Amino acid sequence: MSNNVFTKLSRIVNNVESNNQNLCPIQKSLILGIKACMRKLPLLPIKNKQSLGECELSTMYFDPLLSALFSDPDKNILLRWSNVTCDESADKRPDATISKIQQRNFGPSLGFGEVKLARPTTDNHALWLDLLRLGAFCKDTIDMNKLQAALAFQINGFSMIFYLMRLRHDGMYIMQEIGRVAFPASLQDLAVFLSLKNIRRLLMVSDVFWRLCKPVNDDSWESMRRPTHSTIFSLIHASKDRHRLCALEFTC
């Protein structure tokens, strides 16, 4: 990365601390997340992608920015790369959980994340299974914690897709894609990543999370809930085919 680009990025993030009166809290968090990325990303992309593990991909590349967007210790909300079970996931373990802390314990989950490395063995079957898992996690946390919405994100290599699930009508849980971005693999890629389009998309996703992923105050909401189908994961084909475009199957 050229010195001019690096100097420009440094000047932008440093100005936040000296002249931040015109920025909203979400904008400040994004800038601080970019600043954290500048401290953790390698100068050039790692040549051998096979040497990266899921934990390393999550904590070194994605965590600096995502924690800035979806964590706030003052509000007792933290993004955790825990890979452990929680009340909403039963015996399944999401790779990431956005948790609210209550009385020094991890309380309700407001969002979930799944991570896959971009390798030849990562096929459509595995990605569809992760997406179905995210849908089940979000649906269960909405029901258990009486939430307006739940956030989900799916990482495949350096690509990320954000989803939002809401209980919109009687028994109808709608999960929709709200954004996708390609994360930088190095400081060299960071300048390209910080386009106006990506910045607006990340700000929108963060704004949606903080506005909607919270308890609902509508008493009629209770009657709209439905239990999670016990055989929901049977929607995934039993056989694996990495060339199959869709691994979901529904039969009446």
Side-chain angles (χ1 to χ4, degrees):
M1 183 167 61
S2 67
N3 290 334
N4 290 337
V5 175
F6 190 84
T7 302
K8 182 178 179 181
L9 292 174
S10 300
R11 186 182 300 116
I12 291 174
V13 295
N14 288 331
N15 283 342
V16 176
E17 299 175 355
S18 58
N19 187 24
N20 60 10
Q21 62 271 19
N22 296 324
L23 297 176
C24 70
I26 294 177
Q27 292 171 330
K28 295 177 185 177
S29 296
L30 177 60
I31 295 296
L32 294 176
I34 295 171
K35 187 175 181 179
C37 286
M38 295 174 66
R39 293 175 175 173
K40 296 203 70 173
L41 292 178
L43 182 61
L44 298 174
I46 301 299
K47 185 176 181 180
N48 182 14
K49 297 295 191 298
Q50 303 294 324
S51 63
L52 293 175
E54 281 190 8
C55 180
E56 191 172 23
L57 182 68
S58 305
T59 56
M60 186 167 73
Y61 292 93
F62 288 91
D63 180 70
L65 190 56
L66 294 183
S67 289
L69 295 177
F70 305 125
S71 294
D72 189 342
D74 292 334
K75 297 180 180 179
N76 289 325
I77 294 178
L78 296 176
L79 171 62
R80 308 159 53 211
W81 302 95
S82 55
N83 193 27
V84 297
T85 60
C86 56
D87 292 340
E88 300 87 357
S89 63
D91 59 338
K92 295 179 172 57
R93 305 192 299 178
D95 294 327
T97 307
I98 305 176
S99 301
K100 185 174 181 62
I101 299 176
Q102 292 182 336
Q103 297 181 351
R104 296 192 295 177
N105 289 315
F106 291 119
S109 300
L110 307 180
F112 301 92
E114 289 287 339
V115 182
K116 280 288 183 293
L117 297 171
R119 291 180 176 173
T121 54
T122 304
D123 51 30
N124 289 330
H125 184 278
L127 296 177
W128 275 105
L129 180 59
D130 275 358
L131 181 59
L132 188 59
R133 282 163 52 92
L134 288 173
F137 294 155
C138 288
K139 188 265 179 192
D140 289 341
T141 195
I142 287 175
D143 288 349
M144 293 182 62
N145 301 308
K146 199 175 179 181
L147 300 178
Q148 292 185 41
L151 183 78
F153 58 85
Q154 185 176 20
I155 297 173
N156 179 27
F158 291 97
S159 299
M160 167 177 275
I161 305 177
F162 295 98
Y163 300 95
L164 188 77
M165 175 176 281
R166 303 182 71 183
L167 176 56
R168 301 294 291 174
H169 304 286
D170 188 19
M172 186 176 293
Y173 299 80
I174 298 177
M175 184 177 182
Q176 62 186 105
E177 179 182 325
I178 59 174
R180 61 174 64 200
V181 292
F183 265 60
S186 66
L187 286 175
Q188 187 180 56
D189 301 330
L190 185 59
V192 179
F193 171 74
L194 295 178
S195 64
L196 184 58
K197 180 180 180 181
N198 281 342
I199 290 175
R200 285 177 173 173
R201 184 173 290 123
L202 291 171
L203 290 174
M204 178 273 295
V205 171
S206 182
D207 175 67
V208 165
F209 170 74
W210 292 108
R211 283 193 300 107
L212 298 180
C213 296
K214 56 186 180 181
V216 67
N217 296 319
D218 186 0
D219 293 335
S220 64
W221 180 91
E222 291 281 354
S223 62
M224 296 194 298
R225 295 189 304 169
R226 293 294 184 274
T228 303
H229 202 285
S230 59
T231 60
I232 186 172
F233 288 99
S234 64
L235 292 173
I236 296 290
H237 277 280
S239 62
K240 292 185 178 181
D241 184 351
R242 70 181 59 186
H243 302 295
R244 184 184 290 135
L245 294 179
C246 181
L248 292 179
E249 180 183 46
F250 177 77
T251 56
C252 297

